[in-house]
Amino acid sequence: LQAGSAAAALPHVMGILSGHLYFFHKNIWPKVGGEDWLFPPQFLRRKLDGVGGDDRSKSKESISNALKARKKGRGKKLGGS
C-alpha cells in the first residue's frame, strides 16, 4: 500500500464492493428471477429524466447552433510550414 496502512485502501475496497453489488443487483439478480429493488427516488427521476424537457431541448438547440456557426477551415499540419 502506498500510504503504508490498510486504512488507506478502505475507500478503494468499498468502491469495488459497491460497484460489484450494484452490477449484481441490476444485471444478474433480475435475470435469475429476483426483484430489482435498487431504483432512484422519484424526485431524482423527475430531475434527471427531464419532465420539464423544454430546457433540455433549448440547450441542445443552442449547442447545435453553436457547432454549426463555428468556423471550419483546412487546419494546419503539426510541424509543417
Side-chain angles (χ1 to χ4, degrees), residues 7-47:
L10 187 61
H12 300 286
V13 172
M14 293 298 292
I16 291 168
L17 290 176
S18 63
H20 279 79
L21 180 74
Y22 177 83
F23 181 81
F24 177 79
H25 281 285
K26 286 304 246 184
N27 297 308
I28 309 294
W29 187 246
K31 289 180 183 174
V32 295
E35 182 180 344
D36 179 15
W37 51 270
L38 288 174
F39 51 89
Q42 194 62 35
F43 77 91
L44 193 56
R45 278 190 195 170
R46 283 193 305 269
K47 178 77 173 166

Side-chain angles (χ1 to χ4, degrees), residues 39-81:
F39 51 89
Q42 194 62 35
F43 77 91
L44 193 56
R45 278 190 195 170
R46 283 193 305 269
K47 178 77 173 166
L48 296 177
D49 286 344
V51 172
D54 194 33
D55 293 338
R56 183 173 284 180
S57 64
K58 285 180 184 177
S59 64
K60 281 185 179 181
E61 183 180 339
S62 173
I63 291 171
S64 177
N65 290 339
L67 290 173
K68 287 177 186 174
R70 75 177 184 184
K71 296 180 181 179
K72 297 178 183 168
R74 290 182 42 101
K76 295 186 180 183
K77 240 182 191 178
L78 290 176
S81 52

